[in-house]
Amino acid sequence: MSSSKLRGLTLCLALAAVALGTSVHAEDRPPAAVVIVNAQVADGTGAALRKASVRIEGDRIDAVGDFQPAKGDRVIDAAGLVLAPGFIDIHNHSEEGLEKDPLATSQIAQGITTVILGLDGGSPWPVGPWLEQHRRNPASLNLALMVGHATVREQVMGKDYKRTARPAEVTQMAKLVEQAMGEGAIGVSSGVEYEVASYSDTDELVGVAAAAARHGGFYMTHIRDEADKSFAALDEEIAIGERARIPVEHSHIKLGTVKVWGKAPEYIRVIEAARRRGVDFTADCYPYDAWNSTIKVLVPDKQYENPKSVEKALADVGGAGHVTITEFPPNRRYEMHTVEQLAKAAGISPVEMFIRVIREGDAAGEDAGVIGQSMTEADIKAFYQQPWVMVASDGGIGAEHPRGAGTFPRVLGLYVREKKWLTLPEAVRKMTSMPAKRLGWKDRGTIQPGAFADLVLFNPDTVIDRATFAHPETPPAGIEKVFVNGKVVWSDGKPTGARPGRVLPK
Ligand SMILES: [Zn+2]
């Protein structure tokens, strides 16, 4: 080795030592505080926007108000932007998605800082180890878990679930719910419309709800019917809340068929009467009037080639003009046309056309993907304008519905800015302090000194969803920066890679 090379190496080592020394020294000092200045603050309570500085120290908000950053503070100038508490998505299906993408890119991209998982009656099992695994291997955002009623039902009844449960079995389910609550679940969820739970009677649901109530949990439910029998299903849900003495969260409130379209005012009256009787009833709603699935879900009696069943199926969604074929590899020419359009072109009735698509799909072993209308805009508006209805996505990482990537920006852009159904502070309340209150969390969901620094900076003039049924993962516009527990997780249109998320207790 030449002497000059040796000198160079020595110099490098010396510089490395200096660098190392500096960084060790820096770690001795507390990390610099961050101060966000010039933002319009929507504090989550529904109070009017106000210009304020917000100081973040460690994982908490340290100060809110009219003050100057101290020397050494890192300053973020948020002129023209709104600063809100991070959005809490009380109905999210990211359990599997988090395994593949712990950065939860499509979720933090829309300002979500906490997801509630284990919905519609299905949860990981057992709860304790699953939560522990997520404590050890954190995501970019916070999470909390409900225990699923169908999950414990299957634990107790196994494959023999196509019947009502015996009292001893209900007792066993209740024990498992108590076990899960002891291991960190925050409540119990049900999906009474789905196969496993559809065989349960009201007593069984009261039994598992009461078990969660004994541990301070709440009952979150996808009710028995969101279509023609929506009102009977609502009555059952309210009865469960009253008999089990448990707060009720009605998942994705909806009036899903023609027979009940336009009846939101009546539905709301039933709920308000229950609230006056003392039932702690809240609901969440996703901001879309359509669903996507396979063509066969339109026919609940599964008689896909029976003209009577098909006629009812088409009538339920308001006619063949409300069913759009999105994906059909056996016959691409059908794609992006409604069943009504295809029937006209073929010179046959919509019922005949529907059955033709079913048969072609069966022959190829591939059902057509369809978008169907699930609600009327008037009903969605009526629900959103209730003070007890919050925003939730029913989406999650990898969702095939645009709500998975668009929900929160869509409410801010479409319902607040364009349609003016809600004020901005009220919409933010429905995304933050309202779910936090339902969850019993006092130190999240608002911007105040001492609260955890889960925060979103967004541009109120440009924020909007861009996900569509054709491209459901397209990220929204206008979400500038997202903080979780004081750390920036989203900035400049991409995740920072930080994973400061926590598993949250009840
Ligand atoms: Zn559901």
Side-chain angles (χ1 to χ4, degrees), residues 220-432:
M220 174 135 60
T221 180
H222 173 145
I223 60 174
R224 203 177 285 277
D225 190 290
E226 297 176 329
D228 291 5
K229 297 180 199 121
S230 291
F231 281 82
L234 175 63
D235 287 343
E236 180 187 40
E237 172 189 27
I238 291 169
I240 292 164
E242 286 185 303
R243 289 175 55 195
R245 298 172 191 277
I246 190 167
V248 175
E249 172 73 17
H250 182 118
S251 295
H252 41 67
I253 192 166
K254 185 188 302 166
L255 291 164
T257 47
V258 165
K259 197 175 163 193
V260 288
W261 280 353
K263 295 199 172 171
E266 277 173 61
Y267 215 61
I268 288 163
R269 274 200 294 278
V270 174
I271 293 166
E272 296 212 310
R275 285 168 57 87
R276 278 196 299 274
R277 291 200 303 278
V279 183
D280 182 357
F281 188 110
T282 51
D284 50 79
C285 190
Y286 58 72
Y288 294 84
D289 65 0
W291 49 263
N292 70 330
S293 188
T294 68
I295 191 163
K296 286 184 172 169
V297 306
L298 282 162
V299 193
D301 69 6
K302 299 188 169 66
Q303 298 190 44
Y304 311 114
E305 299 187 25
N306 178 344
K308 277 228 150 46
S309 299
V310 170
E311 202 175 332
K312 162 90 169 99
L314 291 174
D316 277 349
V317 289
H322 285 162
V323 180
T324 304
I325 312 273
T326 52
E327 206 186 353
F328 194 47
N331 194 340
R332 297 270 181 202
R333 283 170 303 143
Y334 292 170
E335 291 180 359
M336 300 326 285
H337 294 287
T338 67
V339 171
E340 188 173 52
Q341 289 166 337
L342 295 171
K344 265 206 188 106
I348 56 178
S349 76
V351 170
E352 287 167 325
M353 188 66 222
F354 187 98
I355 294 171
R356 182 180 288 184
V357 177
I358 292 282
R359 284 186 182 147
E360 287 181 29
D362 282 349
E366 202 153 8
D367 295 336
V370 298
I371 296 172
Q373 187 165 356
S374 58
M375 267 227 265
T376 68
E377 186 171 274
D379 286 338
I380 296 174
K381 181 181 178 185
F383 289 137
Y384 262 99
Q385 290 185 332
Q386 301 312 308
W388 41 266
V389 172
M390 62 189 89
V391 179
S393 75
D394 192 17
I397 299 166
E400 286 171 12
H401 190 289
R403 66 191 181 219
T407 288
F408 292 83
R410 182 174 171 86
V411 170
L412 294 168
L414 187 64
Y415 294 173
V416 172
R417 187 178 60 241
E418 292 177 22
K419 294 184 186 283
K420 300 190 171 30
W421 292 356
L422 300 165
T423 65
L424 191 141
E426 176 63 3
V428 168
R429 185 183 77 85
K430 288 172 177 292
M431 302 172 176
T432 57

Side-chain angles (χ1 to χ4, degrees), residues 40-110:
Q40 292 291 327
V41 172
D43 68 6
T45 66
L49 293 174
R50 66 178 175 121
K51 194 170 161 189
S53 298
V54 173
R55 188 167 192 275
I56 303 167
E57 174 113 36
D59 60 0
R60 303 232 186 200
I61 295 166
D62 172 59
V64 182
D66 187 11
F67 59 84
Q68 294 301 316
K71 202 166 166 238
D73 285 350
R74 193 158 77 79
V75 176
I76 296 173
D77 186 352
L81 303 179
V82 169
L83 182 66
F87 305 146
I88 299 172
D89 188 3
I90 206 166
H91 197 116
N92 191 288
H93 293 284
S94 290
E95 292 87 347
E96 284 177 25
L98 280 173
E99 311 299 325
K100 289 184 212 101
D101 180 19
L103 295 180
T105 308
S106 61
Q107 308 302 290
I108 57 175
Q110 49 179 318

